[in-house]
Amino acid sequence: MSHHLDSPLARQDVRLDITDLYTFAGQTGTALVINVCHSFGGDIPVPGFHPEGRYEFKIDLDGDAVEDLTYRVTFAAADAQGQQRFSVQRLSGAAAAEPTATGIELVAGRTGTAVTTAGGVRAWAGRAGDPFWIDADILHAVGDALQDGTTIDVGTWVPERADNLFAGATVHSLVLELPDAELTPRRTDNRIAVWAVASLATDAGGWRSINRVGLPMIHPLFTQNDEELGDALNAGVPRDDYATYGEPMAARIAACVGAYGTAHDPDQYGETVARLIFPNVLPYTVGTAAAFGFAGFNGRSLVDNAPEVMFSLAFNTPVTIGVGAESVTAKPTPMFPYVPTL
């Protein structure tokens, strides 16, 4: 799992459990995608998006791990046909990081129907096939190894017996495509950083962060056996990530790399990886082909093999999961909204 059921709070209502974040070049601009409400989480009374929650895409334009733009999406309760009205607001500057600020509405629509504004903003929300894949045996073996500081023990498992845990699973996808001019970086390399947050309204009138996603696979690596850490990561903000989690995560990685003997200085390697993954944001160069791979992190497409990339990085040794993009039941498409709609 990438971030499926990644913490106790996320499991309480899978409508607020962000399973994956994707950022890539779409047909007309930059596509941002999150998936929630996965069928793997079991039946819920009203599947879809939480009407008392909100879903936010956060964009850092200058490399300080603080959002300069926020695209905030809220949903109404489902109607008799099961559809939900939604609204997308844009917040910029200081307001982008302010939970109580009000933005400017960019687009409004209803689930299951693509909408496009005169300015070229496109949005779609609805039920889709889950484009993620993982083998359960490898998933749990990796989590155990990072917890214990050992090599990965797969027992009698062999790649030929691998199965995609999420084959046939569904999610509810939220897709927003923005003209590249909307995302004007303040860096000479056109690099931005993206993360997503799902929050729930509190009785006191505020908002509680339920799930936060930047890079894929952070939770499967570090929180499978540490549920309190899962909630803590989801509640934090990127700018605090390294100061809070850098050293302990570096130590976990160093222990595993030391067990494999794949680095002359495991401690230095662990620190290098910790600084790569914290702050937990997804970097992307606007206008380029996304590729989350061994050569580096540049957004994430719907067909990137994030598990093998992140597992191999953490252990500094090749880690195969035995399944790939061919194992998903419904394939993504090159046309908006890109996810395999159902």
Side-chain angles (χ1 to χ4, degrees):
M1 57 184 68
S2 181
H3 285 260
H4 303 65
L5 304 173
D6 63 19
S7 71
L9 270 179
R11 289 196 294 273
Q12 288 182 15
D13 194 321
V14 294
R15 292 176 296 179
L16 295 167
D17 182 14
I18 303 176
T19 67
D20 289 283
L21 165 69
Y22 302 90
T23 302
F24 53 90
Q27 291 176 285
T28 62
T30 298
L32 307 172
V33 181
I34 57 170
N35 293 330
V36 299
C37 197
H38 45 92
S39 58
F40 191 78
D43 293 333
I44 60 173
V46 184
F49 301 90
H50 202 305
E52 296 179 17
R54 65 187 184 192
Y55 305 85
E56 295 177 315
F57 294 104
K58 304 281 193 177
I59 314 291
D60 169 27
L61 300 175
D62 56 14
D64 64 357
V66 176
E67 58 267 50
D68 299 294
L69 294 171
T70 291
Y71 297 90
R72 179 179 296 160
V73 189
T74 54
F75 290 83
D79 61 21
Q81 289 73 46
Q83 296 181 325
Q84 296 179 263
R85 301 291 303 180
F86 67 83
S87 172
V88 182
Q89 290 187 347
R90 180 184 188 271
L91 299 92
S92 61
E98 176 51 59
T100 61
T102 300
I104 299 171
E105 185 176 78
L106 283 182
V107 61
R110 61 190 301 122
T111 53
T113 302
V115 290
T116 304
T117 70
V121 175
R122 301 203 284 185
W124 183 89
R127 187 166 172 263
D130 192 341
F132 183 71
W133 62 88
I134 193 71
D135 176 84
D137 291 336
I138 294 297
L139 167 70
H140 297 307
V142 164
D144 290 343
L146 259 298
Q147 181 69 25
D148 299 335
T150 63
T151 59
I152 302 170
D153 181 6
V154 298
T156 61
W157 180 90
V158 291
E160 293 74 21
R161 286 172 28 203
D163 288 310
N164 178 9
L165 178 62
F166 297 107
T170 63
V171 292
H172 280 70
S173 295
L174 171 57
V175 184
L176 184 64
E177 185 163 357
L178 303 167
D180 287 345
E182 271 276 304
L183 306 174
T184 305
R186 297 171 188 160
R187 296 168 43 143
T188 57
D189 59 2
N190 273 353
R191 201 79 159 161
I192 63 173
V194 182
W195 66 100
V197 178
S199 304
L200 181 65
T202 67
D203 293 338
W207 294 90
R208 184 178 190 181
S209 176
I210 304 298
N211 213 289
R212 173 170 66 103
V213 178
L215 294 172
M217 310 309 297
I218 297 296
H219 282 262
L221 284 169
F222 300 113
T223 73
Q224 286 191 58
N225 301 308
D226 190 344
E227 293 195 327
E228 290 185 5
L229 176 60
D231 275 340
L233 281 168
N234 284 329
V237 293
R239 66 177 177 271
D240 296 335
D241 281 343
Y242 188 83
T244 307
Y245 306 110
E247 289 187 7
M249 299 310 163
R252 289 196 194 184
I253 293 167
C256 294
V257 171
Y260 273 107
T262 53
H264 177 71
D265 186 340
D267 291 334
Q268 181 61 56
Y269 182 83
E271 180 182 348
T272 299
V273 173
R275 290 192 179 279
L276 181 63
I277 63 177
F278 294 129
N280 182 14
V281 296
L282 182 63
Y284 176 63
T285 300
V286 175
T288 67
F292 192 90
F294 294 105
F297 304 159
N298 185 43
R300 181 187 176 193
S301 79
L302 292 164
V303 297
D304 286 332
N305 196 336
E308 290 193 355
V309 171
M310 291 295 280
F311 291 170
S312 299
L313 174 68
F315 293 93
N316 199 31
T317 197
V319 179
T320 182
I321 61 173
V323 293
E326 76 289 340
S327 66
V328 300
T329 302
K331 303 295 192 294
T333 75
M335 309 293 288
F336 186 86
Y338 312 114
V339 295
T341 60
L342 300 175

